[in-house]
Amino acid sequence: MISHGKDIKIFAGSSNIPLAREICRTLDVPLGNAECGQFSDGESYVSFYETVRGSDVFLIQSTCATGVRGTSDYRSVNDHLMELCVMIDACKRASAGRITAVIPYYGYARQDRKTKPRDPISAKLTANLLVSAGVNHVLTMDIHCAQIQGFFDIPMDNIPGSPLFIHYFQERFRGHEDETVVVSPDVGSVARARAFAQKMNLPLAIVDKRRQKANQSEVKNIIGDVRGKDVILLDDMVDTAGSLCGAARALVEEGGAKSVSACATHGVLSGPALERIENSVLDELIFLDTIPAPEKALKCSKIKYLSTANMFAEAIGRIYNEVSISSIYA
C-alpha cells in the first residue's frame, strides 16, 4: 500500500490496458478515469474525468502497434505515441504536480543513430516530442539502446526484465546447470547475454551473424561450445523472428545443441513472425507483457508470456515515494 502526502493517479493509454490494470491492482490504487480514442479522421483525443491538479501522475502507454493491420481496431506505433503526447499535454494543462510516462515498450528505439547519410535519429526525435509535450520523468523496460537515456534532459529509468527470465529458467533447468548454455543471438547483444549468464552462473556462447538489410540476416559462425547442451537464447525483442529462428536453427544443425529455448522482453511479432516461430526448432519462446499478446500468439504452443506488473508497480511506488529504485536493477 502506498502512503504519501501527495496523491498518486495512474492512467492508461489504449495500447496496454490489461498491464495497467494489473499494475494498479498490485499497488492497490484505482485506475484513473480517462478515455482515449480517435476521431473519425484519425486524430487522437483524450478526456480525463477526474482532477489531477497537484497529483503525481503516471501515464502507462507502450508505443507499439496493436490490433490487426487493415482492421478498424488497428493502432500504429505513431497513433500510440501521439496519444501519449496528448495525454501528457492534457495533464500539464490541468496542473498535474509531476507527470511520469511509463512506457513498457519504447518505440523507435532502434533508430538511435545514423547508419548512412541523411538518415534521421528518430529515437532522439521521439524523446524531444515527449519532453516538449511536458513529461517530467520516463520509466521504461529494456530499451533497445541504453544510450537513449542520454537523449532526454529529464530523468529516465530503464529497468531490466532479466530477473523474470532468470527466475523462470532457474526453475526450468534446476539440476541441469552443467548442461545449459546462454547464447547471445548476435554480437550486439553480448553485454546483455553476458550479464544474464553471470547471474545464472552459466557459460556464454555467441552467434556471429551478418545483417544484409533490415529484418534479414545470415548466421556465419557459432562462437563457443553448445554441442549436446540445452541453449537459452536471450534478446531484447523479436520483430519478424527471422534472426531468432535462424540462430536457433544454426545452433541445432551446426552447433549440435540438444534443445533451444529463447526469451525476449518485447514481442513485436510483425509480418511472418508467428509462422516462423511455429515452424522453428525452438522448444519455447518466453516474452514479457510489455506489448499486448496478439490473439494468434496466445494460440501458439511455443509462446508464453510473463507478467511485468510487479516490477513496474515496485518502480512506480519507489518513484512516487522518492526512494532509490536501483535494487530493481540488481
Side-chain angles (χ1 to χ4, degrees):
M1 180 66 180
I2 291 176
S3 59
H4 198 281
K6 184 171 60 177
D7 66 335
I8 182 174
K9 297 288 181 72
I10 300 177
F11 297 93
S14 60
S15 69
N16 205 337
I17 294 174
L19 175 58
R21 286 174 175 159
E22 189 60 31
I23 291 171
C24 288
R25 189 158 37 246
T26 303
L27 289 170
D28 194 21
V29 171
L31 184 62
N33 186 9
E35 180 184 0
C36 300
Q38 289 187 329
F39 292 111
S40 58
D41 62 354
E43 292 181 2
S44 296
Y45 72 83
V46 170
S47 295
F48 288 88
Y49 298 120
E50 60 184 88
T51 182
V52 297
R53 184 176 296 273
S55 299
D56 207 348
V57 176
F58 293 82
L59 306 175
I60 301 175
Q61 175 85 317
S62 285
T63 51
C64 59
T66 57
V68 179
R69 188 182 292 273
T71 63
S72 60
D73 68 337
Y74 177 74
R75 297 291 183 270
S76 69
V77 173
N78 298 332
D79 290 333
H80 287 140
L81 175 59
M82 189 62 196
E83 183 177 277
L84 176 58
C85 289
V86 172
M87 293 177 75
I88 293 167
D89 184 73
C91 290
K92 179 183 178 182
R93 295 177 186 278
S95 302
R98 178 173 59 180
I99 305 168
T100 299
V102 181
I103 311 175
Y105 171 73
Y106 185 95
Y108 285 102
R110 285 174 285 182
Q111 300 183 51
D112 63 300
R113 63 191 182 280
K114 294 179 69 170
T115 57
K116 61 182 186 295
R118 295 172 296 282
D119 269 4
I121 304 180
S122 302
K124 171 59 175 169
L125 174 61
T126 302
N128 290 346
L129 288 172
L130 293 171
V131 173
S132 296
V135 74
N136 304 117
H137 193 167
V138 172
L139 174 65
T140 188
M141 175 173 280
D142 280 342
I143 198 165
H144 183 70
C145 177
Q147 290 87 335
I148 289 174
Q149 294 172 91
F151 291 175
F152 289 88
D153 293 325
I154 59 172
M156 181 184 193
D157 289 306
N158 177 37
I159 60 176
S162 58
L164 296 170
F165 295 133
I166 289 170
H167 176 74
Y168 177 84
F169 285 112
Q170 280 178 337
E171 292 297 318
R172 186 172 187 273
F173 293 111
R174 188 176 301 279
H176 300 278
E177 291 84 356
D178 293 342
E179 304 168 10
T180 308
V181 179
V182 173
V183 175
S184 172
D186 53 46
V187 175
S189 300
V190 169
R192 182 183 297 107
R194 182 185 293 116
F196 184 79
Q198 287 175 345
K199 289 179 180 178
M200 292 197 67
N201 196 27
L202 296 174
L204 175 69
I206 303 167
V207 174
D208 179 25
K209 68 182 182 184
R210 299 290 185 270
R211 188 172 294 279
Q212 310 302 324
K213 58 182 180 179
N215 299 126
Q216 287 189 15
S217 61
E218 179 183 357
V219 174
K220 293 294 185 181
N221 194 20
I222 298 172
I223 304 169
D225 182 20
V226 299
R227 188 165 299 279
K229 305 287 188 179
D230 294 309
V231 166
I232 303 173
L233 266 171
L234 174 73
D235 212 344
D236 66 320
M237 70 174 67
V238 174
D239 190 350
T240 62
S243 296
L244 182 74
C245 294
R249 184 175 62 252
L251 287 166
V252 172
E253 295 178 357
E254 300 176 26
K258 182 170 65 175
S259 71
V260 181
S261 300
C263 58
T265 304
H266 312 295
V268 180
L269 302 177
S270 59
L274 291 171
E275 182 180 355
R276 286 173 172 172
I277 293 166
E278 191 68 70
N279 296 329
S280 71
V281 300
L282 289 169
D283 284 20
E284 63 178 351
L285 175 54
I286 313 300
F287 290 124
L288 303 184
D289 60 352
T290 56
I291 296 175
E295 185 176 347
K296 289 184 179 180
L298 295 175
K299 296 178 180 178
C300 179
S301 60
K302 297 185 178 183
I303 294 177
K304 180 177 181 179
Y305 282 83
L306 303 179
S307 175
T308 59
N310 287 341
M311 293 193 72
F312 276 112
E314 182 177 357
I316 289 170
R318 287 169 178 262
I319 291 169
Y320 172 60
N321 285 307
E322 298 181 349
V323 297
S324 172
I325 68 169
S326 60
S327 63
I328 301 175
Y329 298 0

